Amino acid sequence: MQRFQAGMQETIRTGRVRMESDAPALLPDFDTAIELLFRFVDDFARYTRTHAAWKHNEPLALPDRVTYPHVARTHLSVVLASFVRTATTVALIGSFWIATAWPSGGMAVIAATLACGLCATSARPSRLALQMAAGAAFAVVIGCGLTRYVYPAIDGFALLCAVLAPVVVLGTYVASHRHGGGFGMGFLVFFCLLAGPDNVMSYAPETLMNNGVAVVLVLLAASLCFALVCPPNAAWLVERTQRELRAQVARACEGRLVGLNHRFHASTHDLMYQLRGLLADRSREHRRALRWMLATLEVGQAVIDLREAASGVSIDEQGHWRAAMQSFRQAVSLLFTAPTDQHRVRALGAVVSALEAAQQSLGMCVAHGHGREVRRMVASLHSIRTALLDRDAPFHRR
C-alpha cells in the first residue's frame, strides 16, 4: 500500500494537469477523491502496522502520534433516567421488605441493588434482568445440588477447587456469548452469593431455597420496573441521544483543535454504540439513526480536516476567505444543532461561498507554499457539500 501511494504521486500530478485544461469543473471531485483515497491508505497502513506489532508482541514506535484519554459522552437525561429506574426499584423492594417483615428481604434488596448496578449501562436493562433471573434460577438448582450432595462429601481446598471449576467455567462460557451474557452473569453472580462456600460452612438448604426464590422474584420485578419506569428505548430518550450525537459536529466546528480528532471519534462512536443498542434492527427509527450516524461522521471528519489544513495557512488575511470559513462553521453547527430545511439551505450556501473563497485564494496560497493545504480545504468543503446534497441524508427527512 505504501508503494502504491508513492507510485501514484506522479500519475495523480499528470492527471490533474490534464484535467485542469480539459475539464476544470471536475477538479473538486478529483481532489476530493484523491484526498479520501490517501487518507484511507494512511489509516489502513497504520492499522496494519499496529496489528502486526501486536501479533508479534513488538513495540510500536509512533513519534508522530499523541495519545489522548478516552472521552465518553452520555446525555444527562439518560443518566437521570437510569438513576430514577434504580431508585424506584430499590425503594419498592425495600418498602415491601419493611412492610411485610420478609425473612429474605435483606437478600432481596441486595439482589435488587446488584441488578440495578449491572443493568445500569445496558441499552435494554429489562431484557438483561430477565436473562439474569433465568441464570439465577439455574444457579439455585445447581447450588442446591452442591450444598446437599457434593459439599458434605469433599474435604480440602483441592477438592473444593475441582468441584467449583466446572461451574465457574460454564458460567463464564455462557457469559462470553453476545446473546447469552445475561444468563451467564446472573448464574455466576448469584451462585457465588447463594451457594458459595463459607468459612465455616453451614448446610441450610431451606435458607438457600428461600433466598433463591427471593432473588428470582426480585429480578423479575426489576425487569418490570426497568420496562415501565423511564425505559431507555423511550422515544424522548432516543431523541436526546441523537441530539447529543449531532452536537458532535458543533463541537468539531468550535472545539479546541488540539486532540479534537480523537475526542470527536471517541465520543461519536460511544454515542453510536448507545443508539445501536437502543433501537431494533431494520426499524424505521434504526434507519434514521444510521443516517445521522453516517452524516455526523462524514461532516464532522471533513470539518476537522478543514480546520487542520486551515491552521497551516499563514498568509495575509486581507482576503475574505477566513470570514467565509467562519460563517460556514457557524452554519454547519446550526444545521446539526437544529436540523431544518432553512438551516440546510443556509449551510449549503455557506459551503458554496467558502468553496469559492478558497478557490479564489488558491493562487496566492500556492505562491506562499500553501497549495497543498488549500487543496485539502477545497476537498473537505466539497465533501461536505456532497453530503448536504445527498437525497438519502437525514437533513431531508423529519
Side-chain angles (χ1 to χ4, degrees):
M1 294 181 71
Q2 291 173 341
R3 287 195 300 268
F4 161 78
Q5 188 174 9
M8 284 293 291
Q9 294 286 353
E10 185 60 32
T11 304
I12 291 170
R13 192 177 298 111
T14 304
R16 196 177 194 286
V17 171
R18 188 184 306 117
M19 188 169 290
E20 285 178 346
S21 58
D22 296 342
L26 297 180
L27 276 177
D29 290 323
F30 180 84
D31 290 337
T32 303
I34 294 304
E35 288 295 333
L36 294 176
L37 176 63
F38 277 4
R39 185 195 303 167
F40 170 76
V41 173
D42 287 337
D43 291 344
F44 201 82
R46 273 200 300 268
Y47 171 80
T48 51
R49 284 198 302 269
T50 304
H51 184 271
W54 167 77
K55 184 176 181 180
H56 300 288
N57 197 23
E58 298 174 352
L60 182 64
L62 294 174
D64 58 324
R65 308 291 288 179
V66 181
T67 301
Y68 297 99
H70 175 71
V71 180
R73 184 74 61 178
T74 303
H75 198 275
L76 180 61
S77 60
V78 178
V79 179
L80 292 177
S82 179
F83 169 76
V84 171
R85 285 194 302 271
T86 301
T88 302
T89 303
V90 175
L92 288 176
I93 301 300
S95 300
F96 182 78
W97 174 29
I98 295 173
T100 61
W102 190 10
S104 298
M107 179 61 67
V109 173
I110 293 175
T113 306
L114 289 173
C116 293
L118 294 172
C119 298
T121 58
S122 173
R124 298 183 180 182
S126 180
R127 185 177 67 177
L128 181 58
L130 278 177
Q131 292 181 348
M132 290 176 60
F138 187 57
V140 173
V141 175
I142 299 297
C144 287
L146 289 178
T147 304
R148 174 65 179 85
Y149 299 105
V150 179
Y151 286 162
I154 63 174
D155 186 21
F157 183 72
L159 286 177
L160 179 63
C161 292
V163 167
L164 293 180
V167 179
V168 176
V169 169
L170 174 63
T172 306
Y173 175 77
V174 176
S176 64
H177 283 254
R178 177 183 177 185
H179 299 291
F183 297 104
M185 186 189 308
F187 175 78
L188 284 174
V189 170
F190 292 105
F191 172 81
C192 296
L193 189 65
L194 296 171
D198 295 326
N199 190 11
V200 176
M201 187 66 188
S202 61
Y203 302 97
E206 68 283 355
T207 302
L208 188 149
M209 288 296 297
N210 289 333
N211 288 339
V213 171
V215 165
V216 174
L217 292 178
V218 164
L219 290 175
L220 294 175
S223 176
L224 184 62
C225 287
F226 295 157
L228 297 179
V229 181
C230 299
N233 56 352
W236 64 278
L237 278 176
V238 174
E239 178 58 33
R240 278 160 176 75
T241 303
Q242 288 187 352
R243 189 183 305 169
E244 187 69 21
L245 175 70
R246 297 196 302 267
Q248 298 309 306
V249 176
R251 294 186 177 94
C253 292
E254 308 297 338
R256 187 168 57 95
L257 194 56
V258 177
L260 179 60
N261 191 61
H262 173 83
R263 295 196 305 273
F264 170 77
H265 280 283
S267 300
T268 302
H269 283 281
D270 181 50
L271 290 166
M272 288 170 60
Y273 175 79
Q274 295 178 34
L275 281 175
R276 286 180 59 193
L278 291 173
L279 300 174
D281 292 343
R282 300 183 181 180
S283 64
R284 180 180 178 183
E285 293 78 11
H286 185 261
R287 291 193 298 270
R288 183 171 180 268
L290 281 177
R291 282 193 287 268
W292 275 118
M293 293 174 194
L294 295 174
T296 300
L297 279 175
E298 184 176 5
V299 176
Q301 182 63 60
V303 169
I304 294 173
D305 291 341
L306 171 65
R307 293 184 59 190
E308 289 178 347
S311 65
V313 179
S314 55
I315 61 173
D316 189 3
E317 298 186 12
Q318 291 180 355
H320 65 284
W321 68 277
R322 290 188 182 274
M325 295 297 172
Q326 181 63 27
S327 176
F328 146 75
R329 286 163 54 184
Q330 292 175 352
V332 171
S333 176
L334 181 61
L335 171 62
F336 278 81
T337 303
T340 62
D341 289 338
Q342 181 181 1
H343 292 162
R344 184 187 68 84
V345 173
R346 176 184 173 184
L348 189 58
V351 171
V352 172
S353 299
L355 262 172
E356 294 174 352
Q359 290 171 338
Q360 291 173 6
S361 304
L362 183 59
M364 182 170 52
C365 291
V366 170
H368 288 79
H370 299 301
R372 167 65 177 166
E373 288 81 359
V374 177
R375 288 193 183 96
R376 284 184 60 195
M377 294 167 62
V378 171
S380 299
L381 288 167
H382 186 66
S383 178
I384 296 173
R385 177 178 177 272
T386 304
L388 295 180
L389 291 173
D390 185 5
R391 292 182 179 180
D392 291 328
F395 317 110
H396 304 275
R397 302 169 186 267
R398 295 185 180 179

